[in-house]
Amino acid sequence: MDRKDEIISRQLELIRQMTERNMRSVGTDIWGTTPSKPAAPAGVWDGKTPVVPVGGAKKEAPVKEASGTTGGDAKKQEEELPPKEDIADLKKELDDYIGLGAIKGEVRNLINLATVYQMRRENDLPVADVSLHMVFSGNPGTGKTMIARFMARVYHSLGILSKGQLVEVDRSGLVAGFVGQTALKTAKVCEEALGGVLFIDEAYTLTSKSDNDFGFEAVDTVLKYMEDHRDDIVVIVAGYTELMEDFIDSNPGLSSRFNKYLHFADYTGEELAAIFALQCKKNCYTLTAEAEAEVRSYLDAAAEAAGEFGNARGARNFFEKILTAQANRLAELDDVSREMLMEITDADVKAVEE
């Protein structure tokens, strides 16, 4: 393998690893705590954008895509349960998230409500029948799954949920193709979620078909688990704003159990820039002054149609495309230094924009 091929291979391997990581978790790149390390190298917008967390510093609720099987023995599952965390630390982590201004206020309210709710129970005081189930609405890439994970950790740390895991599922994980199978399939998913949070993405697809569609059977099964296990399961449904309104209105049981609505706004250009800057910092890339200006201009324009762009997910995809452009540029050179491997130029950015 000659040097050009080696450069391309190394860069593409990095891109592949990042893509795999992004597929596992949309929230990975905007979780963590305030950086305590020395200032970032020039060209990473240090001090020009909101404080961004350092990825990898977070603790996450275990996340699994519902498969209908539990896997492993009870002891192993118990060992995998997340530890309870200090609520003050969780609130600090919430403050460090990029964007999510309105959501942060709503989540703090929920944390305080749940805290007092649990304190009253511990003191043998009556508690109101408070529903902790939630509706998350907004465009893709706005942090809905991330906040669902966060709430699982909060409720577990307060002792409201016994395990604190998050089970993520969509229509395909709940609905089967034959009569009677959907209830069984959905029940298995709900069993996996007991003690934690069941997160149903694009929940509106369960009721957007005909009246004879099996999605309604899945909804009825979930509602039964919410009633029968009201003290040890939290259900969060998510999707586009207008479609989620139709979903809740489709069944009286849904409208009576979901009374907390959190709307996730699209990211601004400055917030998208902070997410991009975090990618650079985590992966040891710097931007030339011209590249920084080019990226900011591009992301400001993208924010005008952030829903179509993909919000946080779009910012990460943009970053990965730039790495491909950089790899193509460096592969044409005979002598490539370590500094050049770390540097992103305006030519790399413009190659993606074309």
Side-chain angles (χ1 to χ4, degrees):
M1 178 184 293
D2 61 27
R3 184 164 182 78
K4 292 182 180 180
D5 290 338
E6 180 182 357
I7 292 171
I8 295 176
S9 177
R10 289 168 60 186
Q11 294 292 80
L12 292 181
E13 175 62 17
L14 174 60
I15 294 170
R16 183 192 66 77
Q17 292 174 358
M18 289 191 297
T19 300
E20 289 181 354
R21 183 199 64 213
N22 291 341
M23 290 297 290
R24 288 194 298 269
S25 170
V26 66
T28 295
D29 300 320
I30 47 180
W31 275 75
T33 56
T34 305
S36 58
K37 298 181 180 181
V44 190
W45 290 312
D46 191 31
K48 298 182 181 180
T49 54
V51 174
V52 297
V54 177
K58 67 182 180 299
K59 298 177 182 176
E60 287 192 7
V63 182
K64 57 192 291 188
E65 292 186 0
S67 61
T69 59
T70 55
D73 55 34
K75 182 177 180 180
K76 180 178 179 181
Q77 290 179 0
E78 183 177 348
E79 291 175 350
E80 292 176 351
L81 293 180
K84 292 186 177 181
E85 303 170 61
D86 185 85
I87 295 301
D89 292 338
L90 288 169
K91 288 182 177 180
K92 176 61 169 61
E93 180 180 316
L94 178 67
D95 291 337
D96 288 340
Y97 292 165
I98 296 173
L100 303 173
I103 295 299
K104 290 177 181 177
E106 293 292 339
V107 170
R108 288 190 201 98
N109 291 341
L110 286 170
I111 292 174
N112 293 336
L113 177 66
T115 300
V116 174
Y117 173 88
Q118 190 64 6
M119 290 169 60
R120 288 183 62 88
R121 292 180 62 178
E122 292 170 354
N123 285 274
D124 296 323
L125 291 172
V127 294
D129 188 13
V130 177
S131 173
L132 299 177
H133 310 298
M134 290 172 277
V135 179
F136 288 180
S137 63
N139 287 321
T142 48
K144 297 186 291 295
T145 305
M146 180 182 71
I147 293 299
R149 288 196 192 98
F150 181 79
M151 294 311 302
R153 294 164 60 201
V154 168
Y155 290 150
H156 174 57
S157 298
L158 290 172
I160 293 173
L161 293 174
S162 62
K163 298 178 182 178
Q165 82 281 17
L166 180 125
V167 174
E168 183 177 351
V169 71
D170 57 15
R171 175 186 169 87
S172 65
L174 299 174
V175 177
F178 301 96
V179 175
Q181 289 186 334
T182 291
L184 294 174
K185 188 174 184 179
T186 302
K188 283 188 175 183
V189 171
C190 291
E191 285 291 331
E192 293 179 28
L194 287 181
V197 171
L198 174 60
F199 180 74
I200 306 176
D201 198 16
E202 299 182 341
Y204 53 83
T205 60
L206 295 172
T207 58
S208 61
K209 308 295 183 179
S210 67
D211 291 339
N212 295 323
D213 184 79
F214 298 131
F216 290 91
E217 186 178 355
V219 170
D220 290 338
T221 303
V222 171
L223 288 173
K224 187 176 188 306
Y225 267 82
M226 293 169 68
E227 179 65 27
D228 294 347
H229 304 277
R230 62 175 64 189
D231 293 331
D232 206 23
I233 190 171
V234 169
V235 178
I236 299 176
V237 292
Y240 292 104
T241 303
E242 298 80 6
L243 295 174
M244 289 307 296
E245 292 175 357
D246 294 339
F247 170 72
I248 297 299
D249 292 339
S250 69
N251 187 311
L254 292 172
S255 58
S256 66
R257 288 174 176 81
F258 290 94
N259 56 13
K260 292 179 175 60
Y261 294 78
L262 277 67
H263 176 69
F264 290 70
D266 289 330
Y267 283 96
T268 65
E270 184 179 22
E271 291 162 351
L272 292 175
I275 294 169
F276 187 96
L278 181 59
Q279 289 291 301
C280 290
K281 189 169 186 177
K282 286 170 58 178
N283 295 287
C284 296
Y285 284 93
T286 60
L287 293 156
T288 65
E290 294 80 7
E292 177 182 339
E294 196 70 31
V295 168
R296 283 303 302 265
S297 177
Y298 180 88
L299 292 177
D300 284 341
E304 297 297 321
E308 297 178 9
F309 177 69
N311 286 289
R313 188 178 298 123
R316 289 195 306 273
N317 291 339
F318 179 51
F319 173 73
E320 292 170 11
K321 290 177 181 177
I322 288 175
L323 296 193
T324 300
Q326 187 218 36
N328 290 336
R329 174 175 60 82
L330 295 179
E332 298 299 320
L333 305 177
D334 293 325
D335 188 16
V336 178
S337 67
R338 185 174 187 273
E339 289 70 24
M340 293 169 68
L341 289 169
M342 296 172 60
E343 185 179 70
I344 293 174
T345 70
D346 61 325
D348 301 325
V349 181
K350 290 177 180 178
V352 174
E353 296 175 343
E354 293 175 353

